Amino acid sequence: GAVVSQHPSRVICKSGTSVKIECRSLDFQATTMFWYRQFPKQSLMLMATSNEGSKATYEQGVEKDKFLINHASLTLSTLTVTSAHPEDSSFYICSARGRQGSEAFFGQGTRLTVV
Amino acid sequence: AQKVTQAQTEISVVEKEDVTLDCVYETRDTTYYLFWYKQPPSGELVFLIRRNSFDEQNEISGRYSWNFQKSTSSFNFTITASQVVDSAVYFCALSEAQSNFGNEKLTFGTGTRLTIIP
């Protein structure tokens, strides 16, 4: 099946620094990629949707200047958490979808810890 | 607005028992997709099934089966003869089909933590 690779799987960073998370579709063209955030023992909440070559669409309440999303190619999207703070510590997971109506394939997730 | 409710927060059953995970959804769209995902302790989401709103046939895949009933807006998931490896958090999700470049986003339920006791 389709594979989506997310890197890194775990990252610890100091408060105030920026962290970049990559999401790659390995064997299909991902027209659309989604970024989700999951707080401990809670559900996944959609942060933003990005289409290749376009600006990301952010969900209400998500700071676009803090969570920078780039989707420069059909196989790569990046999420940069800028000026990270401890409250940004969370599990971030991306998904990629090909054709309309197809299932979303998820990456392995990135556990971010800001100290 | 769309919403997915998984009323069961945690379930524990003894191995080999059958267990049903409930999912109730709300949507105003006539065309939509329903999903189930498994999230083991490692964190990744494992796709289990996708069902579109026009297909109410129940589905069986090995020990897994799904019961989709539009009349009650439910999409329940049953595991028969449960095994320890089934222990995970299970999410039900809804996608409202949109026409703009497949730009569909998933609305997840809060998940059900299933523990299979050996």
Side-chain angles (χ1 to χ4, degrees), chain A residues 32-47:
Chain A
T32 305
M33 288 191 175
F34 306 88
W35 287 95
Y36 294 84
R37 180 175 183 176
Q38 184 181 26
F39 290 104
K41 297 188 177 182
Q42 294 189 28
S43 187
L44 293 89
M45 301 298 293
L46 181 68
M47 298 175 65

Side-chain angles (χ1 to χ4, degrees), chain A residues 31-32 34 36 38 41-44 46 49 51 59 91 93 97 99-104 106-108, chain B residues 33 35 37 39 42-45 47 50 91 95 97-106 108-110 113:
Chain A
T31 307
T32 305
F34 306 88
Y36 294 84
Q38 184 181 26
K41 297 188 177 182
Q42 294 189 28
S43 187
L44 293 89
L46 181 68
T49 302
N51 293 309
E59 294 300 303
F91 188 69
I93 191 165
R97 192 189 289 277
R99 60 178 172 82
Q100 181 179 352
S102 64
E103 59 267 26
F106 283 84
Q108 305 94 322
Chain B
Y33 298 88
F35 301 79
Y37 287 90
Q39 186 179 43
S42 53
E44 79 275 16
L45 284 173
F47 167 80
R50 174 180 67 108
F91 289 99
S95 170
Q98 297 174 15
S99 59
N100 187 23
F101 303 114
N103 192 24
E104 300 135 359
K105 60 186 183 183
L106 292 174
F108 285 86
T110 49
R113 182 175 300 276

Side-chain angles (χ1 to χ4, degrees), chain A residues 1 11 17 23 29 34-35 50 53 64 68 74 76 84 93 99 101 104:
Chain A
V11 58
T17 62
C23 180
Q29 292 187 328
F34 306 88
W35 287 95
S50 70
K64 61 180 181 181
L68 300 178
L74 284 170
L76 174 64
I93 191 165
R99 60 178 172 82

Side-chain angles (χ1 to χ4, degrees), chain A residues 7-115:
Chain A
H7 179 80
S9 58
R10 290 178 181 273
V11 58
I12 301 173
C13 70
K14 290 185 177 180
S15 187
T17 62
S18 295
V19 174
K20 180 182 285 188
I21 302 170
E22 294 186 347
C23 180
R24 293 181 184 273
S25 59
L26 300 184
D27 55 359
F28 70 102
Q29 292 187 328
T31 307
T32 305
M33 288 191 175
F34 306 88
W35 287 95
Y36 294 84
R37 180 175 183 176
Q38 184 181 26
F39 290 104
K41 297 188 177 182
Q42 294 189 28
S43 187
L44 293 89
M45 301 298 293
L46 181 68
M47 298 175 65
T49 302
S50 70
N51 293 309
E52 184 265 338
S54 303
K55 287 185 178 180
T57 302
Y58 290 81
E59 294 300 303
Q60 192 173 11
V62 178
E63 300 175 60
K64 61 180 181 181
D65 294 330
K66 181 168 185 62
F67 299 99
L68 300 178
I69 292 173
N70 183 284
H71 191 167
S73 76
L74 284 170
T75 59
L76 174 64
S77 176
T78 60
L79 166 67
T80 301
V81 183
T82 62
S83 187
H85 291 287
E87 57 265 31
D88 297 325
S89 298
S90 188
F91 188 69
Y92 294 87
I93 191 165
C94 69
S95 72
R97 192 189 289 277
R99 60 178 172 82
Q100 181 179 352
S102 64
E103 59 267 26
F105 295 98
F106 283 84
Q108 305 94 322
T110 297
R111 191 164 303 281
L112 169 64
T113 303
V114 184
V115 298

Side-chain angles (χ1 to χ4, degrees), chain B residues 3-4 8 14 20 25 33 38 57 65 75 79 92 98 103 106-107 111:
Chain B
K3 183 180 179 182
V4 177
Q8 303 151 309
V14 177
T20 295
Y25 62 92
Y33 298 88
K38 175 182 180 179
Q57 278 192 335
S65 63
F75 187 42
I79 302 174
C92 180
Q98 297 174 15
N103 192 24
L106 292 174
T107 297

Side-chain angles (χ1 to χ4, degrees), chain B:
Chain B
Q2 50 188 333
K3 183 180 179 182
V4 177
T5 300
Q6 293 179 257
Q8 303 151 309
T9 305
E10 296 190 28
I11 299 176
S12 294
V13 299
V14 177
E15 195 174 19
K16 298 185 182 178
E17 288 186 352
D18 299 347
V19 58
T20 295
L21 309 182
D22 298 333
C23 173
V24 175
Y25 62 92
E26 296 176 30
T27 178
R28 286 178 288 188
D29 219 343
T30 55
T31 303
Y32 52 89
Y33 298 88
L34 293 163
F35 301 79
W36 275 95
Y37 287 90
K38 175 182 180 179
Q39 186 179 43
S42 53
E44 79 275 16
L45 284 173
V46 178
F47 167 80
L48 296 178
I49 190 171
R50 174 180 67 108
R51 171 68 72 223
N52 75 53
S53 53
F54 299 111
D55 182 3
E56 285 194 72
Q57 278 192 335
N58 292 331
E59 180 152 341
I60 298 174
S61 176
R63 296 184 297 108
Y64 297 168
S65 63
W66 291 269
N67 185 346
F68 177 29
Q69 293 196 348
K70 287 181 74 172
S71 60
T72 55
S73 297
S74 65
F75 187 42
N76 297 337
F77 172 34
T78 298
I79 302 174
T80 58
S82 60
Q83 300 176 1
V84 173
V85 293
D86 296 328
S87 296
V89 179
Y90 290 86
F91 289 99
C92 180
L94 167 69
S95 170
E96 291 186 344
Q98 297 174 15
S99 59
N100 187 23
F101 303 114
N103 192 24
E104 300 135 359
K105 60 186 183 183
L106 292 174
T107 297
F108 285 86
T110 49
T112 297
R113 182 175 300 276
L114 176 64
T115 301
I116 309 300
I117 303 167

